Amino acid sequence: MVWVLRTTAVLFLLAVLGQAVLAGQFVTGDTGFLEMHAVNGTVVGAAAIVWVIASLVLRVPLRMGLVGVAALLATGAQIGLGHGRDLGLHIPLGVALLGAGITLTSLSFAYRESK
């Protein structure tokens, strides 16, 4: 199950990075990237959900689990803000989610299952 935790952390991080790339392409005028940005947002959310489930199964330390729950809640807020076109909050929260992705990945690879 540790590999699920690590894989979904990396997926979360890469998908959040992808969000920035897709948004950048959209603002250059290619509106087709907006749909890809929305689809990739679903990937970010799914990765956060699977990470939280894996962390519960593994019974990770509370602080580690809380980071995942915070990332999941922030992702939900991010999706809502994006659909609402509230870019004043959507963009800074996206930056915060990048930090969350780095943190989740770091914690996941530092985690050692107790025997």
Side-chain angles (χ1 to χ4, degrees):
M1 190 55 82
V2 173
W3 69 270
V4 173
L5 194 74
R6 293 174 179 162
T7 301
T8 55
V10 170
L11 176 62
F12 181 91
L13 176 59
L14 292 175
V16 169
L17 283 169
Q19 287 297 79
V21 172
L22 294 169
Q25 292 298 314
F26 168 68
V27 298
T28 63
D30 191 338
T31 57
F33 282 96
L34 185 58
E35 179 63 29
M36 292 187 340
H37 183 76
V39 170
N40 193 51
T42 303
V43 172
V44 174
I49 290 168
V50 173
W51 192 95
V52 169
I53 292 169
S55 74
L56 290 170
V57 170
L58 288 168
R59 296 183 178 191
V60 301
L62 180 62
R63 287 184 185 175
M64 184 174 170
L66 289 176
V67 171
V69 170
L72 175 59
L73 294 174
T75 299
Q78 180 72 335
I79 291 169
L81 290 167
H83 285 289
R85 305 289 191 254
D86 188 348
L87 300 183
L89 294 174
H90 184 72
I91 293 170
L93 185 54
V95 174
L97 283 172
L98 178 61
I102 292 167
T103 303
L104 287 177
T105 302
S106 297
L107 290 171
S108 297
F109 281 90
Y111 176 74
R112 298 290 177 250
E113 218 174 343
S114 58
K115 300 278 178 183

